[in-house]
C-alpha cells in the first residue's frame, strides 16, 4: 500500500511538471474516409523525429502497446486492429531486451471505427504511442480533430466570447477589483494553523529537543547559533514552498487545470481512499513512512558542517515528519488547489512558516526548551483525534465525486449521519470508553480530554437537526462541507434551484433571452458542485430575506457549473481557440462554462458573480466570495440601479 501511495504522488507531480517539458513528438495529420453511414477509416500520418523510433505492433512483448486511438465521443468505437505502413525495421531493442518492430522516418496508422448513434460533425480524441531513443523511453499522446463526412447533426456555434465585455471599464465602479489578492492572507492563515497542528504530532514535536541539541553542539558562539537557526528555518520554509512550483507551470498552460484537478472524479475517489488509509494509520494500526532509503540519504548529508548540511537536516525533518504532516498537507493541497497556484503557494507558505519558526527560534534560543511540555501520551491522543477528523474529511472527497457525477450516493442527510457516527466514536474515545491500539487502558482521561469530549457531544447535537427537514437543517457553520440543502433524501430533486422562488436557469443563452423578455438585469453565478465558498454564499448570504427577495424580484439568475462532468450534446462538443491562441476541447458542461468564465471575465475561481444588462454590457465590477450579506446586497442594488439608468 505504501509503495502504491507514493507512486501515485510521484505520478501526480510528474504529470504537472510534464506540462513544461518539450519532448520529441510525432506531428500527426489525421483524415477520415467514409465507408457507409456508420463506418469510417481514420488515418494518421507523420514523421518520426530523427534518432527516434515509434513502436509498431509487438504482441509478444508484454506491456508494449501499439499505436491506439481513443475518442471523446462515447459512441465511436474502434473495430479491429490498427494497420501500419511506412519505414519499418526489426531491431534488438535495449529497453525491452527483445526483438521488436519499429518505425523510423515516415509512419502511417489507420483504424476502422463504427459510430453506434448520431454521427457528429467532427471526431476528436487522442493518439497514444510509444517512442524510444537508445535507452530513453517516452509514452506520448497527441490530440486530434478531423471532419466526418455525412454527419447527422450540425455543429453548434462555438462562440464563447462576448464582444461587449470591457472588464476595465464597467458602467459603474462598484464591486471588487482585487478578487484573488483578497483571500491569499486568509489561505496563508489556514496553512499556518495547519503547520501549528503539525507541530503537535508525535512525528514532529519530539524532534525539537533533538534539533536544539544538534545546533547547540555545532555552534561555537551566539552569532553562529543565530545564523544556523535562521538558515535551518529558512530551508524548511523553502522546501514546503517549492512544492507549489509545478502548479505555477501547469497554470501557465491551462488556467482551469486547478479546477479540473480538484474536481476530477477519480482523483477525489483516490484521495478518499488515501485519507481513509491515513486515518487508519493515525489510529495506530500501522505506520506510513517514506521509504527509509530517502530519509537515510538525506540524514547522511545533514552532518556536513556547512549551509549544505543545514539544508539536508531541514530536508530530513520534512521527510521524517511526513507520516504526520502529509495528511494535513493533503488537506491543504486539495482544499486550495481549485483556487489556483497562488492560493496554493500561500497555503504552503503558511504551513512551512508555522513549522519552521519554532525550530529556528529554539535553535537560536535553546534555553526556551525548559518551557515546553514533555513528550508523552498526549501526543498519541492528538494523533488519534486527527484520525477521526481525517475520516470526516475523507467523506468530503467522496462527496465531491458524487456531486460532480450526480450519482446520488451521499445525499446531504446520509453525509451528516456518517459525520454523527464518526463524532460519536471520537466522543467515546475522548471519554476513555473506546480504546484504540497502544492505549493505556488503565489510564483515566484527563480534564482536557473530558472538555474535548464535551465539545464533541455539543457538535453532535448541532448536527442532528441536519437530518431533518426543519428550519434548523441549514447548518450554517458547516456550509460547504455537507452537500447542498437541495441534494436531499427528501425528494428535492431540483438540486440547482438554490431555494429561490423561480427555478434557476443553467444556460446562459436561455437566461439572456429571459432577461430581454422581462427587461431585467442578468446575474451570472459561476459556481461548482465541489465549491465550498459557493455553498457558504448560497446557505448564509442568499438565505437572508433581503438578499433572497432582491434577487428573486429584480434579477434573472443563471448558475453556471464549471465542474459539471455531464457530457454536452454531441453537436455542441467543439474545439475552441482561446484568446491566447490555444486549442481547447469543449466536451462537458463544465468545460463550456469554465472556458466562458475565463475568456470573458479573466477569472477561474468560484464563486464569481457578474451583472450584465440585456445588451451584455458589464454593469459593475464582478465580485467573489462576499460573506457580509449587507455588502453583497449593496453590490446587487448598485447593479440594478445602473441598469435602470441605462433604460
Amino acid at each position: 500500500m505504501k509503495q502504491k501511495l507514493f507512486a501515485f504522488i510521484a505520478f501526480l507531480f510528474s504529470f504537472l511538471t510534464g506540462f513544461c517539458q518539450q519532448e520529441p513528438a510525432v506531428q500527426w495529420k489525421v483524415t477520415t474516409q467514409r465507408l457507409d453511414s456508420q463506418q469510417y477509416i481514420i488515418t494518421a500520418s507523420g514523421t518520426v523525429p530523427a534518432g527516434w523510433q515509434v513502436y509498431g505492433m509487438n504482441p509478444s512483448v508484454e506491456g508494449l502497446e501499439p499505436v491506439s486511438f481513443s475518442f471523446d465521443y462515447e459512441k465511436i468505437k474502434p473495430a479491429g486492429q490498427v494497420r501500419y505502413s511506412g519505414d519499418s525495421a526489426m531491431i534488438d531493442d535495449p529497453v525491452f531486451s527483445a526483438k521488436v518492430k519499429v518505425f523510423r522516418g515516415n509512419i502511417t496508422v489507420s483504424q476502422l471505427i463504427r459510430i453506434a448513434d448520431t454521427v457528429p460533425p467532427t471526431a476528436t480524441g487522442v493518439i497514444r504511442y510509444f517512442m524510444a531513443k537508445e535507452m530513453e523511453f517516452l509514452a506520448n499522446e497527441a490530440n486530434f480533430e478531423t471532419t466526418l463526412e455525412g454527419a447527422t447533426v450540425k455543429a453548434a456555434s462555438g462562440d464563447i466570447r462576448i464582444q461587449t465585455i470591457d472588464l476595465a471599464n464597467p458602467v459603474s465602479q462598484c464591486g471588487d477589483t482585487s478578487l484573488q489578492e483578497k483571500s491569499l492572507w486568509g489561505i496563508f492563515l489556514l496553512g499556518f494553523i495547519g503547520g501549528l497542528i503539525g507541530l503537535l504530532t508525535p512525528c514532529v514535536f519530539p524532534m525539537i529537543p533533538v534539533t536544539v541539541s544538534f545546533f547547540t553542539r555545532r555552534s561555537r558562539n551566539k552569532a553562529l547559533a543565530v545564523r544556523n537557526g535562521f538558515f535551518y528555518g529558512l530551508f524548511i520554509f523553502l522546501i514546503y514552498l517549492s512544492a507549489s512550483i509545478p502548479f505555477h507551470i501547469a497554470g501557465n498552460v491551462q488556467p482551469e487545470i486547478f479546477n479540473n484537478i480538484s474536481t476530477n472524479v477519480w482523483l477525489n475517489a483516490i484521495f478518499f481512499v488515501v485519507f481513509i488509509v491515513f486515518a487508519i494509520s493515525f489510529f495506530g494500526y500501522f505506520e506510513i513512512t517514506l521509504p527509509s532509503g530517502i530519509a537515510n540519504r538525506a540524514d547522511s548529508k545533514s552532518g556536513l558542517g556547512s549551509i549544505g548540511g543545514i539544508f539536508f537536516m531541514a530536508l530530513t525533518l520534512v521527510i521524517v515528519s511526513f507520516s504526520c504532516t502529509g495528511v494535513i498537507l493533503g488537506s491543504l493541497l486539495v482544499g486550495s488547489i481549485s483556487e489556483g497556484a497562488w492560493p496554493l503557494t500561500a497555503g504552503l507558505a503558511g504551513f512551512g512558516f508555522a513549522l519552521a519558526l519554532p525550530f529556528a527560534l529554539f535553535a537560536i534560543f535553546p534555553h526556551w526548551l525548559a518551557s515546553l511540555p514533555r513528550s508523552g501520551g498526549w501526543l498519541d491522543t492528538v494523533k488519534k483525534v486527527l484520525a477521526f477528523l481525517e475520516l470526516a474529511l475523507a467523506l468530503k472527497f467522496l462527496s465531491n465525486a458524487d456531486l460532480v457525477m450526480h450519482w446520488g450516493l451521499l445525499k446531504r442527510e446520509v453525509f451528516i449521519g456518517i459525520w454523527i457516527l464518526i463524532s460519536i466514536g471520537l466522543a467515546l474515545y475522548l471519554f476513555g470508553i473506546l480504546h484504540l491500539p497502544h492505549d493505556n487502558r488503565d489510564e483515566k482521561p484527563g480534564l482536557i480530554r473530558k472538555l474535548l469530549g464535551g465539545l464533541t457531544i455539543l457538535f453532535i447535537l448541532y448536527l442532528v437537526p441536519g437530518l431533518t427537514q426543519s428550519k434548523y437543517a441549514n447548518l450554517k457553520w458547516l456550509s460547504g462541507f455537507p452537500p447542498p440543502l437541495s441534494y436531499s433524501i427528501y425528494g428535492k430533486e431540483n438540486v440547482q434551484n438554490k431555494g429561490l422562488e423561480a427555478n434557476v436557469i443553467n444556460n446562459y443563452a436561455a437566461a439572456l433571452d429571459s432577461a430581454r423578455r422581462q427587461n431585467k438585469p442578468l446575474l451570472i453565478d459561476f459556481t461548482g458542485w465541489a465549491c465550498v465558498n459557493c455553498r457558504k454564499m448560497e446557505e448564509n448570504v442568499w438565505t437572508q430575506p433581503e438578499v433572497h427577495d432582491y434577487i428573486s424580484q429584480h434579477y434573472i439568475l443563471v448558475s453556471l457549473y464549471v465542474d459539471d462532468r455531464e457530457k454536452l450534446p454531441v453537436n455542441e462538443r467543439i474545439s475552441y481557440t482561446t484568446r491566447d491562441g490555444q486549442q481547447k476541447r469543449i466536451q462537458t458542461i463544465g468545460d463550456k462554462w469554465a472556458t466562458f468564465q475565463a475568456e470573458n471575465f479573466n477569472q477561474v475561481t468560484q464563486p464569481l458573480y457578474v451583472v450584465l444588462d440585456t445588451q451584455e454590457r458589464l454593469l459593475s465590477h464582478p465580485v467573489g466570495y462576499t460573506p457580509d450579506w449587507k455588502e453583497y446586497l449593496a453590490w446587487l442594488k448598485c447593479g440594478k440601479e445602473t441598469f435602470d439608468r441605462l433604460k
Side-chain angles (χ1 to χ4, degrees):
M1 176 60 73
K2 289 190 292 185
Q3 292 178 339
K4 291 182 179 179
L5 170 63
F6 294 113
F8 165 71
I9 295 172
F11 166 77
L12 178 61
F13 279 92
S14 65
F15 169 77
L16 292 168
T17 55
F19 281 109
C20 67
Q21 299 173 353
Q22 295 296 322
E23 300 287 6
V26 179
Q27 301 300 315
W28 298 98
K29 180 181 179 182
V30 181
T31 59
T32 55
Q33 176 188 355
R34 186 186 187 196
L35 300 181
D36 57 40
S37 61
Q38 304 297 132
Q39 294 191 107
Y40 294 78
I41 292 177
I42 185 167
T43 302
S45 301
T47 302
V48 182
W52 289 82
Q53 58 206 25
V54 171
Y55 290 94
M57 189 76 70
N58 293 283
S60 62
V61 182
E62 186 177 356
L64 182 56
E65 298 294 330
V67 178
S68 64
F69 295 85
S70 64
F71 300 90
D72 296 324
Y73 182 33
E74 59 276 10
K75 299 297 183 180
I76 298 180
K77 302 294 183 183
Q81 293 185 334
V82 173
R83 297 183 179 273
Y84 293 81
S85 63
D87 304 325
S88 64
M90 295 296 296
I91 65 167
D92 291 318
D93 184 54
V95 176
F96 290 94
S97 300
K99 205 170 189 64
V100 298
K101 186 175 185 178
V102 298
F103 288 82
R104 297 164 177 161
N106 296 323
I107 180 174
T108 299
V109 292
S110 59
Q111 172 74 65
L112 174 66
I113 60 173
R114 293 193 176 97
I115 305 177
D117 202 341
T118 302
V119 178
T122 61
T124 60
V126 176
I127 302 173
R128 294 184 173 87
Y129 58 101
F130 292 140
M131 297 175 63
K133 180 181 181 181
E134 298 176 350
M135 290 300 294
E136 189 173 354
F137 182 83
L138 292 177
N140 268 353
E141 60 180 41
N143 294 329
F144 70 85
E145 180 175 12
T146 181
T147 302
L148 292 178
E149 181 186 356
T152 54
V153 292
K154 293 183 178 180
S157 171
D159 185 15
I160 287 176
R161 286 280 290 161
I162 302 175
Q163 300 302 323
T164 53
I165 297 294
D166 184 357
L167 283 176
N169 299 292
V171 178
S172 174
Q173 290 300 311
C174 54
D176 192 353
T177 59
S178 56
L179 291 170
Q180 188 178 22
E181 292 79 0
K182 183 178 179 181
S183 61
L184 290 183
W185 282 110
I187 295 175
F188 176 88
L189 180 60
L190 288 176
F192 185 82
I193 294 172
L196 294 179
I197 295 173
L199 278 171
L200 298 177
T201 59
C203 314
V204 181
F205 191 82
M207 294 287 289
I208 296 177
V210 174
T211 301
V212 173
S213 175
F214 176 88
F215 281 111
T216 301
R217 293 197 309 268
R218 296 300 179 97
S219 302
R220 296 184 300 274
N221 52 58
K222 182 67 173 179
L224 190 59
V226 171
R227 188 207 73 157
N228 290 346
F230 170 78
F231 278 108
Y232 184 61
L234 178 64
F235 286 140
I236 294 173
F237 173 76
L238 291 178
I239 288 169
Y240 281 107
L241 195 65
S242 64
S244 69
I245 292 175
F247 296 91
H248 286 275
I249 297 169
N252 290 332
V253 176
Q254 186 179 335
E256 303 99 280
I257 190 170
F258 304 109
N259 186 275
N260 292 336
I261 293 173
S262 65
T263 60
N264 180 276
V265 174
W266 300 114
L267 278 181
N268 272 282
I270 289 171
F271 275 119
F272 167 72
V273 174
V274 167
F275 274 57
I276 292 292
V277 172
F278 267 118
I280 296 173
S281 172
F282 272 33
F283 281 132
Y285 290 100
F286 62 88
E287 186 174 355
I288 296 175
T289 59
L290 282 169
S292 59
I294 297 176
N296 291 338
R297 282 194 292 272
D299 188 53
S300 67
K301 306 238 181 227
S302 66
L304 302 175
S306 63
I307 297 297
I310 296 174
F311 168 78
F312 280 104
M313 190 170 179
L315 182 61
T316 301
L317 170 70
V318 172
I319 293 172
V320 171
S321 64
F322 176 82
S323 61
C324 289
T325 60
V327 68
I328 304 171
L329 279 172
S331 307
L332 179 65
L333 173 71
V334 180
S336 61
I337 194 173
S338 63
E339 303 297 318
W342 284 112
L344 180 62
T345 298
L348 288 170
F351 186 92
F353 184 72
L355 210 61
L357 187 61
F359 278 93
L361 290 176
F362 280 115
I364 296 171
F365 306 105
H367 60 277
W368 288 2
L369 270 179
S371 62
L372 280 181
R374 292 183 177 273
S375 300
W378 68 273
L379 287 177
D380 188 60
T381 300
V382 169
K383 194 173 182 179
K384 287 171 179 174
V385 169
L386 285 176
F388 285 100
L389 297 180
E390 288 308 317
L391 284 180
L393 183 60
L395 206 64
K396 175 60 180 171
F397 297 116
L398 184 60
S399 176
N400 287 345
D402 179 56
L403 285 166
V404 169
M405 296 303 294
H406 314 310
W407 289 331
L409 298 176
L410 277 179
K411 294 294 182 74
R412 179 181 175 88
E413 294 77 18
V414 175
F415 184 101
I416 293 172
I418 297 175
W419 266 27
I420 289 174
L421 293 177
I422 293 172
S423 300
I424 291 173
L426 175 58
L428 293 175
Y429 168 73
L430 290 171
F431 284 117
I433 301 171
L434 174 66
H435 296 286
L436 294 168
H438 314 301
D439 283 350
N440 183 352
R441 294 175 180 266
D442 296 327
E443 183 180 357
K444 294 183 179 180
L447 178 61
I448 293 179
R449 279 186 61 165
K450 290 179 180 178
L451 288 175
L452 290 175
L455 290 175
T456 304
I457 291 175
L458 291 177
F459 181 68
I460 294 170
L461 295 175
Y462 175 74
L463 288 176
V464 169
L467 301 175
T468 70
Q469 298 189 73
S470 70
K471 63 179 181 179
Y472 302 107
N474 184 6
L475 308 176
K476 293 188 177 183
W477 290 353
L478 297 177
S479 293
F481 284 94
L485 283 162
S486 51
Y487 198 63
S488 169
I489 64 173
Y490 296 114
K492 301 174 183 177
E493 295 301 329
N494 184 11
V495 296
Q496 297 170 327
N497 192 4
K498 306 190 179 190
L500 298 176
E501 293 176 5
N503 285 342
V504 176
I505 301 172
N506 301 112
N507 181 283
Y508 176 76
L512 181 61
D513 180 66
S514 180
R516 287 170 174 168
R517 284 187 284 103
Q518 299 184 45
N519 196 26
K520 289 183 176 181
L522 187 64
L523 175 60
I524 306 177
D525 162 35
F526 288 104
T527 185
W529 292 112
C531 172
V532 172
N533 284 341
C534 301
R535 300 294 88 75
K536 289 180 179 178
M537 287 293 295
E538 294 159 10
E539 296 173 9
N540 296 343
V541 175
W542 284 11
T543 53
Q544 293 294 328
E546 295 89 340
V547 175
H548 174 279
D549 294 344
Y550 202 85
I551 293 176
S552 298
Q553 296 170 16
H554 300 293
Y555 279 97
I556 299 297
L557 175 63
V558 53
S559 288
L560 305 178
Y561 286 78
V562 303
D563 59 2
D564 197 315
R565 298 296 174 243
E566 183 178 339
K567 292 284 189 178
L568 288 164
V570 62
N571 63 315
E572 295 183 26
R573 304 180 196 180
I574 60 172
S575 289
Y576 177 77
T577 303
T578 64
R579 58 187 172 188
D580 57 2
Q582 294 186 38
Q583 288 293 316
K584 182 181 178 184
R585 301 277 183 78
I586 308 296
Q587 299 292 322
T588 66
I589 292 174
D591 291 339
K592 181 176 182 178
W593 300 131
T595 305
F596 182 81
Q597 180 186 5
E599 288 290 280
N600 293 296
F601 305 105
N602 200 30
Q603 289 285 334
V604 293
T605 58
Q606 294 79 45
L608 182 72
Y609 303 104
V610 180
V611 174
L612 303 181
D613 70 358
T614 54
Q615 304 304 312
E616 298 182 282
R617 290 173 294 188
L618 188 64
L619 298 183
S620 61
H621 290 291
V623 298
Y625 176 58
T626 311
D628 185 337
W629 70 266
K630 293 182 180 178
E631 179 183 345
Y632 186 74
L633 180 60
W635 176 78
L636 290 173
K637 289 181 176 180
C638 175
K640 176 62 167 61
E641 291 165 1
T642 304
F643 176 80
D644 292 338
R645 288 201 308 268
L646 294 176
K647 285 184 180 179

